[in-house]
Amino acid sequence: MSRAILWKKLNNNEIQCQACNHFCTVIPEERGKCGVRLNNNGEMETLVKDKIAALNLDPIEKKPLFHFMPGTQTLSLGTMGCNLACTFCQNYSLSQPPKEQQEPIGDPISPNQILAAAVEYSASSISYTYSEPTIFIELLLETADLAQKSGLKNIIVSNGFQSPQCMNAMDGYIDAANIDLKAFSEDFYSKYCGARLKPVLQNLVRIRKMGWWLEVTTLLIPGLNDSPEELEQMAGFICNELGEDTPWHISRFHPTFKMTDRPATPVETLERACSAGLGAGLKFVYTGNIPGHMAESTFCPSCKKMIIKRTGFKVREVHMKDGACSFCQEEIPGRWENS
Ligand code: SF4
């Protein structure tokens, strides 16, 4: 156990955690909703500061980030626990057990050791991912500080449900983010995720203003968030509030965890969603979890030629020079250094 940040004392040894938008009130010897932040006699402790449950070298395309240093490797890490309770979680074995009062498992790898591993494997960045980086903010900040000083980039892959205090704490360290926009209704967030939509929308706008490179992901679930109206609302929000340059990844759902009562997303539904995104004015809309699909590649919005060819998470061809299309010299939004 290590002392946590982002909390305040209340009366009677109770505390309020201020890491995420749940702002849990935690009574002595209890944990918050994420299951990894504990009230230890009136002081908040984190159970995952030194417990890394997953550590891998990934292509950055796997996050997914398509306009941020393409073709580079990122050292990805995560702990157990999550502040949301998505019934369709694809990483539930990592995210959910601490909610059942199970002790989070993981290896005691220090921020210095993480950085050393990133350097040894020639990673260009470190990604805080797999479960939810908000709930291991202490480990994230310490590692991100070291990484930044060594010239590596820092990336979060997140549900976007941070508190404003947490967003402020990360500002200055994070270079890029992929944030889930799981649906466009409070009902969906409440019923299937145990969360709220509004703070996520506010954080998406905040990230854009803070200047992190931002890409958005939506897992499209048949019958739940794939109606033409909802797709139009999501695409409209991304285009109007975040900007037409914001890449939108629309990903295929596979039945898992508590949501096994519906089929995988039909490819036609994903293609319909892509059309809705492009129709709303977005310049870069991608499909996810359909390896080999054309919409995994980047097309120049001006001359329409393919400028980054991808298969799965692999970059096969790049037709860009100095951040511009090699065919027509149109500038392509993104961070292309080191790629
Ligand atoms: S991170 Fe969120 S869910 Fe966890 S204790 Fe803090 S406020 Fe609650």
Side-chain angles (χ1 to χ4, degrees):
M1 267 195 312
S2 307
R3 191 167 161 105
I5 60 168
L6 301 177
W7 59 277
K8 73 171 184 186
K9 282 182 184 282
L10 303 173
N11 294 330
N12 304 322
N13 258 5
E14 293 184 357
I15 56 185
Q16 183 194 50
C17 178
Q18 300 180 328
C20 91
N21 231 287
H22 285 310
F23 290 104
C24 296
T25 297
V26 189
I27 61 173
E29 313 321 314
E30 292 288 328
R31 304 179 191 180
K33 283 180 191 234
C34 56
V36 298
R37 297 172 78 78
L38 168 81
N39 180 339
N40 184 22
N41 197 23
E43 306 279 325
M44 181 149 262
E45 307 272 354
T46 161
L47 304 179
V48 291
K49 170 72 194 302
D50 58 352
K51 290 228 171 83
I52 293 185
L55 183 70
N56 293 296
L57 191 65
D58 286 331
I60 201 161
E61 284 72 20
K62 198 172 176 180
K63 298 303 96 193
L65 284 176
F66 280 11
H67 290 231
F68 189 85
M69 304 166 74
T72 61
Q73 299 287 304
T74 184
L75 188 70
S76 304
L77 63 95
T79 70
M80 292 189 90
C82 185
N83 51 347
L84 267 57
C86 303
T87 54
F88 49 88
C89 182
Q90 319 266 309
N91 263 338
Y92 64 95
S93 60
L94 205 61
S95 66
Q96 303 302 310
K99 291 177 195 285
E100 313 297 327
Q101 300 302 307
Q102 290 182 30
E103 276 314 299
I105 56 163
D107 295 320
I109 305 173
S110 71
N112 269 313
Q113 289 171 310
I114 295 167
L115 178 64
V119 171
E120 186 183 341
Y121 291 110
S122 303
S124 302
S125 58
I126 297 180
S127 293
Y128 309 90
T129 175
Y130 296 133
S131 48
E132 169 51 46
T134 309
I135 57 97
F136 58 87
I137 183 70
E138 295 80 8
L139 174 67
L140 181 159
L141 290 177
E142 221 174 282
T143 309
D145 183 42
L146 292 175
Q148 190 177 61
K149 286 175 179 148
S150 298
L152 270 69
K153 305 293 185 198
N154 289 300
I155 294 163
I156 60 164
V157 181
S158 168
N159 55 39
F161 199 65
Q162 291 86 355
S163 66
Q165 293 90 327
C166 183
M167 295 302 287
N168 289 339
M170 286 192 289
D171 195 18
Y173 292 107
I174 303 300
D175 299 285
N178 187 303
I179 304 290
D180 284 344
L181 179 58
K182 293 175 189 284
F184 211 74
S185 78
E186 288 292 354
D187 189 52
F188 181 102
Y189 267 83
S190 158
K191 202 164 165 188
Y192 300 108
C193 308
R196 285 167 286 124
L197 168 65
K198 195 171 172 195
V200 177
L201 299 182
Q202 289 170 333
N203 280 337
L204 283 164
V205 172
R206 192 175 275 133
I207 287 172
R208 220 21 178 156
K209 286 190 180 141
M210 290 193 302
W212 306 352
W213 178 253
L214 172 65
E215 303 193 14
V216 176
T217 294
T218 300
L219 184 75
L220 217 56
I221 306 175
L224 289 188
N225 61 358
D226 62 346
S227 71
E229 299 73 33
E230 192 155 359
L231 292 173
E232 207 176 295
Q233 286 173 327
M234 284 193 275
F237 172 83
I238 297 169
C239 192
N240 299 329
E241 303 299 325
L242 309 179
E244 61 184 14
D245 290 344
T246 310
W248 187 23
H249 300 263
I250 303 165
S251 210
R252 186 180 208 187
F253 160 85
H254 290 282
T256 187
F257 192 34
K258 295 180 183 170
M259 198 173 278
T260 50
D261 62 336
R262 53 196 74 228
T265 321
V267 173
E268 310 81 66
T269 308
L270 291 150
E271 289 171 342
R272 184 165 53 78
C274 282
S275 299
L278 295 169
L282 289 172
K283 290 184 174 169
F284 306 98
V285 185
Y286 299 103
T287 53
N289 294 345
I290 324 177
H293 196 282
M294 280 277 280
E296 284 183 322
S297 294
T298 301
F299 293 83
C300 172
S302 176
C303 71
K304 313 295 179 201
K305 292 198 171 124
M306 187 187 282
I307 49 176
I308 304 179
K309 181 176 183 180
R310 300 182 188 84
T311 314
F313 303 123
K314 238 184 159 33
V315 172
R316 302 284 180 187
E317 291 172 26
V318 179
H319 301 285
M320 287 179 61
K321 192 165 182 280
D322 300 329
C325 168
S326 296
F327 302 106
C328 72
Q329 282 69 56
E330 172 84 357
E331 208 174 302
I332 308 298
R335 308 279 160 84
W336 309 106
E337 64 267 27
N338 299 345
S339 58

